[in-house]
Amino acid sequence: MKKIYTIALLLQLCAAAAYAQKSDSTASRKARSFAIDSAAYNFYNFAKNKSFFTATMPDGFNTLSLGHQLTKGRFMPYQESSKTNDTYFATEGKTTLSDVALWGSLVYHKIREDSTRWAHQTRNNTTAPLYYGSERNVNYERSVYQFNAMAQRNMIGKNLPLALGIDYRIGDHYSTNDPRAKLNDYQFNMQASLGYHLSKRLLLGLGFRYGYGEERTDIAYKNKQNETNTDQPQYITHLINGYGDPEMKPINRVFHNKQSRKGMDTYLNYEAPSFGTFSWSGSYLKETQNFLNKFPDITYKDFFNDYYLTSYKFDLAWKKKLSKYQLLLIANYSNLDGEDFSYKVSANNYLYNREQWGIKAVLSKPGKTSFNYVLELRKDGEERQDGSKANILSYSAIKPGLGFGFNRQLPGNQSFGMNVKGVYSKNINDQFVVPIINEGPFTKTVIYNDYLYNTADYFSGTVQADYTFPTFRQIQTGIKLGFTYNEATQFKSLDRAVATLPGNQRFSTNLSLNFYF
């Protein structure tokens, strides 16, 4: 009941932020036009969840969306679901009240997963070394609530902008067939920053982040015979601890993962009529996760693992208005390092690294028919090591992409638009070290499948169509339909006994009803 009250309160706060801006038909058309202006909307997304930039976000962009997304196909990591239905509700809004810039959002997802294997996880902490899993396909139902809010105000005249932000997540997850997992998670994060104008055009800032959370996992069986049924080993629950074949866990399958994090941010914002707007942010975050064994035994006692994460992230954006166009350049870099301390071996056993960078150029031309052109280049890399198994697996891929979109204004304040985008992923480097003596069910399925999936070359294409029309004089209503298709063009060869191979295709469709006010 307490959780229901919390969700109701968050909904009311978000609605207050969204509706604070007085709506009229002009404002709703402006909000809709902003949503289809690719350069402006990408800059808005750059500022989201960075409270230091709250005041730079435009007032009057208030939206509400109801939608459903279906994702299906076997070109995927082995622990993903082969079919996912996601019904969602999302709302967000920006306004300024009494010199205080306010932004808020609320998102709810109701997710149904078919055929998930070897992963009793919340999907919110996939780099962690410790979780339960089983060979059998299970179906999952998930409910996830996410609330975000930010506020910013100048403390002395037009200087010393103080900004505060919070985000709060609640997740409930359970599988509907044996082994029956029940997982709960919550995350609460806060950020604060203070800026100083060195000049009218140059603003610098420093920020602090703090957060905590918890994940709880409990595995049970409706049919008790399945717990230790060696004739049907796919039912047996295993404790994955690292990145290698796990051990069976026939009893006492409960653990809690308590998390805490803190970090620092740096910011810069420069604006000049001839130069445009240049914004930069950098963040450093340190996180600790403690996996508590709720049924201590001789092997693990009170703790399974400690897991330490260190992340660096840098983002920059440059927006400039040209004679007939608006140009936006975005660049980002992130690096995440993880290492555990395993109480079973009294040493570090598992290492994780993910490194990503990207650059993106967006050129928008406004008008009765507006056009958007997108050019991007990204690089993704990941590495996992398991010391006790001597496993080392890594990959690195380069991903160029092109996009084009248009939106045509129609009579009666109606509009129609389309967007297309294509991305090609090319594997450029990888490492595969798995001693053949370690081949077990987890290695032959999860590890081999994911190596082939991550090192595959593939093409991804997206098409979206959007039709909007006025309703209730003050609201623009839009119907959006999207389709994304991924197809592998080449897999690496692997001279091993692979139990399952990734498929060649995966697609998703999305239908949403959107309101702009």
Side-chain angles (χ1 to χ4, degrees):
M1 185 63 68
K2 183 178 179 181
K3 185 179 294 185
I4 296 175
Y5 291 151
T6 301
I7 296 301
L9 176 61
L10 297 182
L11 178 60
Q12 291 172 1
L13 290 173
C14 186
Y19 283 94
Q21 177 74 17
K22 183 178 179 181
S23 295
D24 56 35
S25 58
T26 302
S28 64
R29 290 197 301 272
K30 180 181 177 182
R32 168 58 191 148
S33 298
F34 177 78
I36 57 95
D37 181 354
S38 184
Y41 191 58
N42 274 269
F43 190 80
Y44 171 84
N45 284 328
F46 166 85
K48 275 170 60 171
N49 300 319
K50 300 181 182 76
S51 60
F52 183 82
F53 296 110
T54 305
T56 68
M57 304 166 73
D59 286 342
F61 179 62
N62 305 313
T63 66
L64 187 150
S65 299
L66 300 168
H68 182 83
Q69 179 167 307
L70 167 66
T71 304
K72 188 176 181 180
R74 291 287 182 178
F75 180 57
M76 64 177 193
Y78 190 82
Q79 293 163 307
E80 287 285 345
S81 67
S82 59
K83 180 181 177 181
T84 302
N85 283 280
D86 180 2
T87 302
Y88 60 89
F89 162 86
T91 182
E92 64 182 86
K94 164 64 170 53
T95 190
T96 300
L97 297 175
S98 301
D99 298 325
V100 179
L102 299 170
W103 176 86
S105 72
L106 177 69
V107 181
Y108 167 73
H109 290 272
K110 180 63 176 180
I111 302 169
R112 291 178 172 83
E113 296 181 0
D114 292 343
S115 303
T116 296
R117 291 177 285 186
W118 280 119
H120 295 303
Q121 296 175 298
T122 64
R123 306 287 192 198
N124 192 48
N125 190 29
T126 56
T127 76
L130 193 138
Y131 53 95
Y132 291 123
S134 57
E135 293 184 64
R136 187 169 188 257
N137 280 323
V138 294
N139 300 326
Y140 260 97
E141 294 199 9
R142 307 179 188 271
S143 297
V144 179
Y145 306 82
Q146 181 80 43
F147 172 74
N148 300 77
M150 302 188 302
Q152 187 177 37
R153 184 182 188 276
N154 290 325
M155 303 305 294
I156 300 177
K158 294 184 179 182
N159 208 344
L160 290 181
L162 175 66
L164 301 173
I166 63 169
D167 67 79
Y168 184 50
R169 168 196 159 100
I170 300 174
D172 290 309
H173 323 255
Y174 62 91
S175 56
T176 58
N177 54 321
D178 283 347
R180 295 174 186 266
K182 181 172 177 57
L183 303 94
N184 304 102
D185 73 281
Y186 76 88
Q187 301 292 333
F188 181 74
N189 297 295
M190 299 176 288
Q191 56 176 302
S193 65
L194 184 65
Y196 181 76
H197 278 279
L198 293 179
S199 67
K200 182 180 178 180
R201 297 173 178 175
L202 179 61
L203 174 66
L204 301 179
L206 289 175
F208 174 76
R209 290 178 183 266
Y210 174 76
Y212 58 89
E214 184 176 8
E215 295 183 347
R216 299 187 174 194
T217 302
D218 185 357
I219 312 297
Y221 290 78
K222 185 175 182 179
N223 186 348
K224 295 297 183 180
Q225 294 179 347
N226 291 331
E227 286 186 290
T228 57
N229 189 348
T230 56
D231 292 332
Q232 293 182 299
Q234 68 271 20
Y235 280 98
I236 297 176
T237 296
H238 295 73
L239 177 67
I240 295 97
N241 191 355
Y243 199 55
D245 269 272
E247 60 189 53
M248 289 191 295
K249 199 74 168 64
I251 59 173
N252 301 334
R253 300 166 298 267
V254 181
F255 73 80
H256 294 179
N257 177 8
K258 293 186 177 292
Q259 306 166 9
S260 63
R261 59 194 70 91
K262 58 184 177 180
M264 299 292 294
D265 300 326
T266 58
Y267 301 100
L268 181 150
N269 195 69
Y270 178 80
E271 292 186 60
S274 59
F275 179 79
T277 301
F278 178 84
S279 301
W280 181 88
S281 71
S283 66
Y284 166 80
L285 192 68
K286 192 85 172 179
E287 179 172 331
T288 299
Q289 301 184 14
N290 305 117
F291 292 85
L292 281 66
N293 184 6
K294 303 308 292 183
F295 293 92
D297 52 37
I298 296 176
T299 303
Y300 289 103
K301 297 183 172 53
D302 293 328
F303 292 91
F304 287 112
N305 278 36
D306 294 331
Y307 186 45
Y308 307 100
L309 289 162
T310 303
S311 68
Y312 302 88
K313 187 174 183 180
F314 305 98
D315 298 285
L316 66 86
W318 178 50
K319 181 177 65 173
K320 181 174 175 58
K321 190 172 183 179
L322 307 175
S323 58
K324 294 182 179 181
Y325 296 88
Q326 188 172 60
L327 174 67
L328 177 67
L329 299 178
I330 294 177
N332 54 70
Y333 172 84
S334 65
N335 187 86
L336 177 66
D337 286 310
E339 64 175 80
D340 77 341
F341 179 84
S342 172
Y343 285 88
K344 182 179 180 180
V345 298
S346 297
N348 168 236
N349 176 65
Y350 171 80
L351 293 174
Y352 177 84
N353 175 262
R354 183 176 68 229
E355 184 181 48
Q356 300 172 309
W357 61 258
I359 53 176
K360 184 177 184 179
V362 183
L363 189 65
S364 296
K365 182 181 180 182
K368 187 173 182 180
T369 301
S370 60
F371 297 93
N372 300 302
Y373 308 89
V374 179
L375 176 65
E376 66 179 20
L377 180 66
R378 294 186 293 119
K379 181 177 178 290
D380 294 337
E382 186 179 60
E383 180 176 318
R384 296 177 190 259
Q385 297 186 36
D386 186 299
S388 62
K389 305 294 185 181
N391 291 343
I392 305 174
L393 293 104
S394 67
Y395 76 93
S396 185
I398 198 80
K399 300 179 180 181
L402 288 170
F404 168 76
F406 75 89
N407 189 81
R408 174 71 174 174
Q409 298 295 321
L410 304 174
N413 292 326
Q414 302 176 83
S415 67
F416 175 78
M418 288 192 68
N419 292 282
V420 295
K421 182 180 179 181
V423 175
Y424 183 73
S425 179
K426 174 66 177 177
N427 179 59
I428 57 175
N429 189 31
D430 62 86
Q431 186 176 15
F432 178 87
V433 178
V434 179
I436 198 166
I437 195 174
N438 291 335
E439 280 191 345
F442 185 87
T443 298
K444 291 180 179 180
T445 52
V446 177
I447 293 179
Y448 290 171
N449 180 96
D450 286 3
Y451 171 76
L452 294 172
Y453 167 78
N454 287 323
T455 58
D457 299 338
Y458 69 89
F459 169 79
S460 176
T462 299
V463 179
Q464 290 182 331
D466 189 5
Y467 169 68
T468 64
F469 52 92
T471 52
F472 308 112
R473 294 181 59 192
Q474 297 179 345
I475 297 176
Q476 285 286 117
T477 300
I479 300 174
K480 180 181 288 187
L481 177 64
F483 180 81
T484 298
Y485 177 75
N486 296 338
E487 181 169 346
T489 58
Q490 183 175 345
F491 288 101
K492 292 183 72 71
S493 60
L494 187 60
D495 188 21
R496 292 294 178 92
V498 182
T500 61
L501 295 170
N504 293 325
Q505 302 168 340
R506 191 167 176 87
F507 73 89
S508 66
T509 59
N510 187 301
L511 178 64
S512 62
L513 180 65
N514 308 288
F515 302 94
Y516 308 90
F517 46 92

